[in-house]
Each structure stands twice: as structure tokens, then as C-alpha cells.
């Protein structure tokens, strides 16, 4: 029952439009820093592009996908019209206004500070205020998801919350708390310096605030992908969810352990003690638990589909799977990239190993393989699955969909694997250009060129994706029926309260965050003499 189709389509279309622009910027960046292109006359152009690319891909694109998909989940899983539709449009408007407000100073060269803000660099205040508006717009979505679930639970007091909505609201609560760290950094540290209230900034404290957000935001990006794993893929390939309870536990674990781990991004920073770095490293290892649980549950769900399709023997079910189905193909590619990216993450979480690849191209390869690879390819799958129900028109270009997914997978591997390699060799990231005639860098030239080629393969895939959606907008009308989610092998009639609500888990999430961040933040906030002069960029004072 989708009654807010225009609202959902608006979120998806804006998401994919800004994604396309950011994708072009990313490919240009790879070209200009490769041996295929001469040095830029003004490297500041590179940092403008990098800031725009990161800000759109990090804050705007995944937030719009999560919101649009979340509204579709709320109406379809709960079988009730969205409550607060005007507020939903207001949230969308704030994101549009915030994105424009942030990108104008970036385009003018007044905020080339990268999406991590990079204190003590200080850009134009409108960049930061625009980011705040995007976050506030997304918090309206968080509130609406919570309100709609509460209304449904009042009307259905004895029923389990549908799995898709349970996961959706878990993701919303995770994002609400995740964004607090960056909000504190902006409101207490960066914006006061940007508007001239102070001329100094405690860069160490600002970085700790941002680490609160920096890693947990990845799991917010990941939530729509995991929801698709559990609630779209089994149904799309003719199977069932292996275990509803295991799925709920996976989302609960993300809610609890994804937050108190961000200081592992600051292993090289001196302002945080070794003890808290160890604690955050240990908690980072715990994040592997919901991922491993998901891999097991989804593989079991896929095996069920294969056996229902006639697969026999130990591995015969694999051949019986619908490999020509784009959703099946997207899942396979996503799992492969998640495996490679996750393995790289084990290096990042280790203090000893991280010292060898810190601030190298390895880091760039890792998070692009996770986000751009495993996560975004499932965003494509979500769009392909949902589009006929939003437009009332069939997506008939299955061959084009498969080609697009293959190109995205190949392009991401060709892009990121060379980045990992040159990172091991010591190539730093965030550099506008390199002198490949230098013997110390000559060995990197081929790998960097290869990654640039991969970037243009990704651009081609992105274009095909938009072509598929645009053709779907003009295809003949077709009745797609009601949008539904996968059901479990044993659908739950009743579930324990702990698996049907969030009070305990949100309390644990907040408690662990305060425990792991409270002392470092308090210590840095009360220490005198740690502020440094703000460095204003782009002609700012």
C-alpha cells in the first residue's frame, strides 16, 4: 500500500541525480592525479571537487535513499498511510536547501575543507550551516518513522513489528545518535570560528567529536542494504528468510555496537590515550558479529530459494539460483565486495597494522569498496525492485540491468584494488598530484592509471542505471500489485519484547557511547592551552 509515491520518488530521484554528479567529480579526480593527465595549474580545484564529492556521497545521497526507502517501508510493511506527510516534505525541503547552501561556497572555493571538515581548516559558514540543515531534515524522518511505528503498535498491540519496519526504525535511531557527534563539533567548535566568534579551535577535541560520527555513519549507509538483504532478496529470488529472530538480532547488534568505536580512526592522534584506543579497537571487532550473522542467515535464505527451485545435493542449489535476476546478481556482487572490504577493515582496526597504511590510498580503497561497492550496488537493487510499484510501469530492460550491475562490480574492483596496493607501497591520499617521474613513485604509475580506468567504467555504469530508470518512467503502464517483503520460513506469531522494541538497546547504545567517549571528551574540553589558530581557506578572513 504505497500512497506517498510522489514523496518517495522525489527522494530517490534527487538522490540519484546528485549521485550522478558526484560520480563524475570522482572520476575527474582520479584522472587528474593519474599519469594520464598533466598537473593542475591550481590544485585548489582538486580540493573543491573532493569536498563536493565527499559531502554529497557522505551526507546527501545515502540520507535521501534511506529516507525514501524508509517511507516506502513504513507504508508497505505497516499497511497504513504515512502519518506526517507534510512534515516529510518539509524534511525533504530542508535537505534540498541545505545541500544547495553547502555546495555554493564549495563551488566558489570558499569551503575546500573536505567532508570530514579537517580542522583547524575553516571554510565559509554557509557550508557548515547547509550540512546542519541536511541533518535536521533527516531527523524529521527519524521522528516520523518512530511516530508511525508507535501508531501501528497501538493498533496492533499483540503483533510482532514487521521485520522491514523493525530494521528501518533501528537504522533511524542509529542515525539520530550517530549525527550528534558531528553536530557537537559544528556547533561548539567549527561554526563559532567560521562566523568570527573565535579565532582559535581545539582541533583535537573537534576530531574526537567527529570520530563519534565518522565510523557509525557507515552503518547508517549500510542499513538500507541490510534491509534489502533480508526483506527483498529472498522474496525476489523465490525464497524465504531463514530466521526472523536472527535478522532482528543482527539489527540490534548494529544499533548497540556500531557507535562506541570511532576513535580507531584516530590511532595516530596524540590527544587520546592508548587505553581508550584499545577499547575502541576491541569494540570495532564486535561489529563483525552482525555482519557474520547476516552472511550466514542470507546464505541460508538463498539456499532455501535454490532448493525450492529444484536444486539437489550439497551444492546443486547454487546452480539452480536465478542468476539472470538482477537482484540475485546484485546480492552476489555485494557480498563479494563486502568480504574484500571487510577484510581490509580488519587491518584498519588493528593499531599495529594501521600504522603501515594510515592516511594512504589503502583507506580510500577500503571505504570505496564498502560504500561505493557493497552498499551502493544494493541501492541499485532497491530501486530496480521498487520502481515498478512507484511508477506503475514495468522495468523491462533486464539485460541492461545485468550489464549495469556487472560494470559497477568490475569498475569498483578495478578502481579499489590498485588503491589498496599503492597504499601498501605508501602512496598518501588527498594529494592533488604526484610526480610519477620520481623513482620513488614510478612503480605506482600503472596501478593509479588502472584505477582511473575503473573510475570511467563506474561512470558508464552510473549512466546505464539512470537510463534504466528513465526508460521505466516512460514504459507502458503495468499492474505490479502490492509491494511486499520476504516472509520467514517460520513467520513469528509472537516475539520477545526485547526483539520487538528498542528501549533496552537504545539505552545500551547511549550508555556505551558515553562510556567510551565521555572521559576523552571531558578531559579535552577541560584542558587549557590546546586551541590553535583557525586556518581560513578560500579568501576567508
Amino acid at each position: 500500500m504505497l500512497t506517498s509515491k510522489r514523496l518517495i520518488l522525489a527522494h530517490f530521484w534527487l538522490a540519484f541525480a546528485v549521485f550522478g554528479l558526484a560520480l563524475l567529480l570522482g572520476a575527474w579526480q582520479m584522472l587528474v592525479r593519474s599519469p594520464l593527465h598533466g598537473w593542475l595549474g591550481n590544485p585548489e580545484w582538486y580540493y573543491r571537487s573532493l569536498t563536493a564529492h565527499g559531502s554529497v556521497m557522505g551526507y546527501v545521497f545515502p540520507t535521501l535513499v534511506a529516507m525514501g526507502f524508509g517511507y516506502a517501508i513504513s507504508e508497505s510493511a505497516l499497511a497504513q498511510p504515512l502519518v506526517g506527510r507534510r512534515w516529510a516534505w518539509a524534511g525533504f525541503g530542508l535537505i534540498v536547501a541545505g545541500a544547495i547552501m553547502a555546495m555554493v561556497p564549495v563551488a566558489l572555493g570558499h569551503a575546500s575543507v573536505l567532508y570530514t571538515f579537517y580542522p583547524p581548516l575553516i571554510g565559509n559558514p554557509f557550508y557548515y550551516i547547509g550540512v546542519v540543515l541536511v541533518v535536521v531534515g533527516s531527523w524529521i524522518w527519524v521522528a516520523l518513522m518512530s511516530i508511525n511505528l508507535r501508531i501501528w503498535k497501538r493498533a496492533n498491540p499483540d503483533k510482532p513489528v514487521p521485520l522491514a519496519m523493525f530494521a528501518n526504525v533501528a537504522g533511524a535511531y542509529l542515525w539520530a545518535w550517530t549525527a550528534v557527534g558531528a553536530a557537537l563539533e559544528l556547533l561548539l567548535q567549527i561554526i563559532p570560528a567560521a562566523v568570527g566568534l573565535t579565532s582559535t579551535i581545539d582541533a583535537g577535541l573537534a576530531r574526537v567529536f567527529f570520530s563519534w560520527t565518522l565510523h557509525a555513519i557507515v552503518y547508517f549507509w549500510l542499513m538500507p542494504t541490510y534491509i534489502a538483504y533480508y526483506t527483498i532478496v529472498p522474496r525476489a529470488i523465490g525464497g524465504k528468510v531463514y530466521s526472523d529472530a536472527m535478522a532482528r538480532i543482527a539489527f540490534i547488534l548494529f544499533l548497540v555496537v556500531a557507535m562506541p568505536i570511532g576513535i580507531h580512526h584516530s590511532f595516530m592522534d596524540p590527544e587520546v590515550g592508548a587505553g581508550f584506543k584499545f577499547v575502541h579497537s576491541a569494540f570495532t571487532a564486535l561489529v563483525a558479529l552482525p555482519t557474520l550473522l547476516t552472511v550466514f542467515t542470507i546464505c541460508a535464505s538463498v539456499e532455501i530459494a535454490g532448493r525450492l527451485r529444484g536444486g539437489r545435493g550439497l551444492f546443486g542449489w547454487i546452480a539452480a539460483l536465478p542468476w539472470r535476476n538482477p537482484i540475485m546478481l546484485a546480492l552476489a556482487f555485494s557480498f563479494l565486495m563486502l568480504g574484500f572490504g571487510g577484510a581490509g577493515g580488519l587491518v584498519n582496526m588493528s593499531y599495529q597494522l594501521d600504522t603501515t597504511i594510515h592516511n594512504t590510498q589503502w583507506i580510500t580503497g577500503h571505504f570505496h569498496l564498502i560504500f561505493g561497492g557493497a552498499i551502493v550496488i544494493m541501492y541499485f537493487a532497491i530501486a530496480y525492485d521498487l520502481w515498478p510499484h512507484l511508477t506503475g510501469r514495468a522495468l523491462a530492460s533486464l539485460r541492461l540491468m545485468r550489464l549495469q550491475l556487472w560494470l559497477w562490480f568490475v569498475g569498483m574492483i578495478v578502481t579499489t584494488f590498485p588503491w589498496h596496493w599503492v597504499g601498501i607501497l605508501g602512496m598518501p591520499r588527498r594529494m592533488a598530484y604526484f610526480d610519477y617521474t620520481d623513482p620513488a613513485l614510478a612503480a605506482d604509475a600503472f596501478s593509479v592509471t588502472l584505477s582511473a580506468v575503473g573510475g570511467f567504467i563506474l561512470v558508464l555504469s552510473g549512466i546505464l542505471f539512470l537510463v534504466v530508470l528513465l526508460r521505466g518512467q516512460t514504459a507502458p503502464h503495468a499492474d505490479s500489485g502490492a509491494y511486499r517483503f520476504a516472509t520467514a520460513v517460520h513467520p513469528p506469531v509472537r516475539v520477545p519484547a526485547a526483539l520487538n522494541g528498542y528501549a533496552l538497546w537504545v539505552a545500551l547504545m547511549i550508555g556505551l557511547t558515553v562510556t567510551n567517549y565521555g572521559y576523552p571528551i571531558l578531559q579535552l574540553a577541560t584542558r587549557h592551552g590546546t586551541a590553535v589558530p583557525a586556518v581560513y581557506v578560500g579568501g576567508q578572513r
Side-chain angles (χ1 to χ4, degrees):
M1 187 176 87
L2 290 172
T3 62
S4 302
K5 295 178 181 179
R6 288 183 59 218
L7 173 71
I8 298 165
L9 276 171
H11 282 77
F12 276 118
W13 267 123
L14 181 58
F16 295 133
V18 298
F19 163 76
L21 294 174
L23 185 61
L24 290 173
L25 290 177
W28 178 81
Q29 291 158 31
M30 287 189 285
L31 173 65
V32 299
R33 65 201 301 275
S34 76
L36 301 175
H37 194 282
W39 285 10
L40 287 174
N42 181 5
E44 202 274 333
W45 282 99
Y46 172 80
Y47 294 104
R48 289 190 202 188
S49 173
L50 191 59
T51 302
H53 173 81
S55 299
V56 168
M57 289 296 201
Y59 300 129
V60 182
F61 167 53
T63 301
L64 287 167
V65 170
M67 291 171 66
F69 191 33
Y71 292 135
I73 290 170
S74 179
E75 292 200 331
S76 299
L78 302 183
Q80 66 182 27
L82 180 69
V83 175
R85 192 179 302 171
R86 289 184 179 179
W87 279 103
W89 278 111
F92 177 76
L94 281 175
I95 291 178
V96 173
I100 294 172
M101 185 180 294
M103 287 302 101
V104 168
V106 171
L108 295 175
H110 298 323
S112 300
V113 295
L114 312 189
Y115 99 101
T116 52
F117 307 145
Y118 234 82
L121 294 182
I122 297 295
N124 186 283
F126 285 105
Y127 169 70
Y128 307 112
I129 295 170
V131 173
V132 169
L133 289 179
V134 170
V135 173
V136 172
S138 71
W139 280 346
I140 292 176
W141 166 74
V142 172
L144 289 176
M145 293 301 93
S146 182
I147 290 168
N148 277 266
L149 179 59
R150 179 170 296 184
I151 291 171
W152 183 89
K153 291 181 80 170
R154 284 177 182 171
N156 301 271
D158 298 322
K159 291 184 179 181
V161 175
L163 176 59
M165 191 62 181
F166 183 84
N168 181 40
V169 176
Y173 288 161
L174 175 63
W175 170 239
W177 187 239
T178 294
V180 168
L184 290 172
E185 180 191 16
L186 289 170
L187 296 176
L188 301 180
Q189 292 282 313
I190 292 180
I191 291 179
V195 298
L197 297 179
T198 178
S199 61
T200 62
I201 185 171
D202 189 331
L205 178 58
R207 285 174 62 83
V208 170
F209 276 138
F210 194 77
S211 74
W212 174 322
T213 297
L214 183 57
H215 200 82
I217 196 175
V218 176
Y219 299 102
F220 168 61
W221 299 340
L222 200 66
M223 279 297 186
T225 290
Y226 272 58
I227 294 172
Y229 286 164
Y230 281 105
T231 66
I232 290 179
V233 171
R235 183 259 301 153
I237 65 174
K240 291 182 176 294
V241 179
Y242 174 72
S243 171
D244 180 273
M246 291 174 73
R248 291 171 189 264
I249 291 170
F251 287 106
I252 286 169
L253 286 171
F254 275 126
L255 189 61
V256 173
V257 301
M259 276 300 311
I261 64 177
I263 286 178
H264 80 264
H265 286 273
S266 303
F267 279 153
M268 299 297 105
D269 288 16
E271 71 271 5
V272 179
F276 275 95
K277 288 176 180 176
F278 171 78
V279 170
H280 280 247
S281 178
F283 270 87
T284 304
L286 292 178
V287 177
L289 293 178
T291 295
L292 293 174
L293 186 61
T294 295
V295 170
F296 173 81
T297 306
I298 298 306
C299 285
S301 303
V302 170
E303 181 179 352
I304 290 170
R307 297 200 181 281
L308 288 174
R309 293 173 60 89
R312 297 289 182 268
L314 188 60
F315 298 112
W317 59 272
I318 298 176
L321 291 170
W323 290 106
R324 296 180 65 81
N325 184 327
I327 305 299
M328 182 68 237
L329 200 59
L331 172 71
F333 291 154
S334 181
F335 264 32
L336 284 171
M337 291 185 284
L338 183 66
F340 286 124
L346 296 177
V347 174
N348 301 341
M349 60 162 268
S350 165
Y351 181 84
Q352 293 82 357
L353 294 176
D354 180 74
T355 58
T356 66
I357 49 86
H358 176 73
N359 252 349
T360 70
Q361 283 295 113
W362 171 284
I363 304 300
T364 314
H366 165 70
F367 68 73
H368 278 81
L369 192 54
I370 290 290
F371 174 64
I375 294 174
V376 170
I377 203 167
M378 290 307 296
Y379 288 1
F380 298 152
I382 291 168
Y384 288 154
D385 190 68
L386 193 55
W387 220 251
H389 300 272
L390 296 174
T391 63
R393 302 170 187 270
L395 288 181
S397 307
L398 294 179
R399 182 179 297 178
L400 203 58
M401 291 183 213
R402 291 193 296 269
L403 175 61
Q404 184 266 321
L405 295 170
W406 268 106
L407 286 173
W408 191 262
F409 173 68
V410 171
M412 193 57 65
I413 296 298
V414 173
T415 297
T416 59
F417 276 33
W419 277 346
H420 282 82
W421 173 243
V422 297
I424 293 173
L425 296 180
M427 175 176 274
R429 60 178 177 148
R430 292 172 169 166
M431 302 292 288
Y433 43 66
F434 297 93
D435 181 5
Y436 295 101
T437 63
D438 189 312
L441 289 174
D444 298 339
F446 175 76
S447 297
V448 174
T449 301
L450 195 60
S451 70
V453 172
F456 285 98
I457 296 174
L458 292 174
V459 169
L460 177 58
S461 175
I463 292 171
L464 289 180
F465 172 68
L466 294 175
V467 167
V468 170
L469 297 189
L470 287 169
R471 289 176 65 175
Q473 292 284 147
T474 58
H477 287 280
D479 183 11
S480 301
Y483 191 69
R484 59 188 181 86
F485 296 100
T487 57
V489 174
H490 302 290
V493 178
R494 299 183 66 88
V495 297
L499 298 183
N500 204 44
Y502 309 94
L504 172 63
W505 311 118
V506 169
L508 277 173
M509 174 183 71
I510 295 173
L512 285 172
T513 306
V514 172
T515 301
N516 283 11
Y517 274 100
Y519 181 77
I521 289 175
L522 184 63
Q523 182 188 43
L524 290 169
T526 56
R527 182 175 294 173
H528 298 289
T530 56
V532 298
V535 179
Y536 295 90
V537 301
Q540 307 300 303
R541 70 167 188 82

